[in-house]
């Protein structure tokens, strides 16, 4: 039995498009300039998030490390803090899940590096703890958030906020930000 989903599809796409129109263009320009600045200063860029946000953080790393760096003399240096499963599970088991991002940052973070924290709610303790540490170490911090931005939006130095209380639309648009940056910076750097 087939069901007609036309209205459901239109409703979802309408919410997606309407939300995209509300995203601050200044925040998007800051995002692009932070990425370009990290490349020009030869800094590391750390990405982090949980669940779907981790998927976006990991996707960003591959897009920038390979897609925007292959064959170039200047290369992005992205590290996704959730991609080393043995390290994550060791900290989660032996220390706490709240420490899975901060502990690897303690190994690698240098002042001036960029930390991109992705969280729909903006309230996850492991993300907050890592950003507080990064701020204290003199790193640049950027939060990609949804809902009201939570604590993350208040503590990062820069933010791109998706103004909707809907996790799926928020995560969709966080991925759009990655691909937007990839597309625009790819043109700038070619």
């Amino acid at each position: 039995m087939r069901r007609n989903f036309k209205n459901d599809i239109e409703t979802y796409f309408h919410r997606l498009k309407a939300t995209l129109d509300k995203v601050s263009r200044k925040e998007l320009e800051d995002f692009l300039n932070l990425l370009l600045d990290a490349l020009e200063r030869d800094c590391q860029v750390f990405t982090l998030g949980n669940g779907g946000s981790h998927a976006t953080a990991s996707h960003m790393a591959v897009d920038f490390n390979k897609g925007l760096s292959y064959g170039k003399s200047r290369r992005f240096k992205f590290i996704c803090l959730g991609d080393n499963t043995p390290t994550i599970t060791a900290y989660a088991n032996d220390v706490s899940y709240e420490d899975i991002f901060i502990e690897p940052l303690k190994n690698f973070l240098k002042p001036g590096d960029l930390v991109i924290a992705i969280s729909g709610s903006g309230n996850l303790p492991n993300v907050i703890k890592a950003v507080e540490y990064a701020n204290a170490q003199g790193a640049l911090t950027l939060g990609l958030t949804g809902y009201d931005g939570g604590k993350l939006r208040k503590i990062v130095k820069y933010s791109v906020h998706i103004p909707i209380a809907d996790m799926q639309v928020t995560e969709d648009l966080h991925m759009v930000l990655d691909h937007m940056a990839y597309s625009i910076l790819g043109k700038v750097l070619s």
Side-chain angles (χ1 to χ4, degrees):
M1 176 176 175
R2 283 185 57 84
R3 182 171 173 191
N4 183 341
F5 289 105
K6 184 178 180 186
N7 289 338
D8 300 303
I9 293 166
E10 292 305 319
T11 298
Y12 190 86
F13 282 169
H14 174 75
R15 287 170 55 83
L16 193 65
K17 290 187 275 188
T19 304
L20 185 57
D21 287 340
K22 294 177 188 174
V23 176
S24 166
R25 295 332 193 231
K26 182 193 181 311
E27 290 179 358
L28 295 175
E29 284 194 47
D30 288 345
F31 175 55
L32 292 166
N33 280 305
L34 284 167
L35 292 167
L36 191 56
D37 180 63
L39 176 68
E40 290 171 350
R41 292 185 303 111
D42 199 33
C43 293
Q44 299 175 110
V45 180
F46 296 92
T47 59
L48 59 104
N50 292 282
S53 295
H54 166 70
T56 300
S58 186
H59 195 114
M60 287 182 81
V62 73
D63 280 349
F64 282 79
N65 284 337
K66 193 266 181 193
L68 286 178
S69 294
Y70 181 75
K72 305 274 170 94
S73 59
R74 290 186 308 168
R75 298 170 75 101
F76 281 98
K77 295 178 180 169
F78 270 65
I79 298 171
C80 179
L81 295 176
D83 280 354
N84 188 326
T85 305
T87 299
I88 294 299
T89 57
Y91 279 120
N93 184 65
D94 300 341
V95 183
S96 82
Y97 194 73
E98 288 186 20
D99 293 312
I100 65 170
F101 299 132
I102 189 175
E103 289 301 325
L105 279 179
K106 289 178 180 179
N107 290 24
F108 301 110
L109 186 71
K110 295 178 183 153
D113 284 345
L114 175 60
V115 175
I116 301 175
I118 307 169
S119 173
S121 71
N123 290 314
L124 298 171
N126 58 5
V127 172
I128 300 302
K129 198 169 187 179
V131 169
E132 288 173 341
Y133 174 79
N135 283 336
Q137 300 308 307
L140 298 172
T141 54
L142 169 72
L144 304 183
T145 61
Y147 291 80
D148 68 357
K151 185 174 181 181
L152 180 61
R153 189 175 181 205
K154 295 173 186 164
I155 65 169
V156 291
K157 295 176 183 171
Y158 299 91
S159 172
V160 178
H161 180 65
I162 306 300
I164 190 169
D166 180 311
M167 190 59 73
Q168 286 68 47
V169 171
T170 297
E171 289 181 353
D172 288 341
L173 293 181
H174 285 164
M175 185 58 75
V176 167
L177 297 179
D178 168 49
H179 288 157
M180 175 206 69
Y182 179 98
S183 177
I184 292 171
L185 293 179
K187 291 175 186 169
V188 169
L189 298 171
S190 60

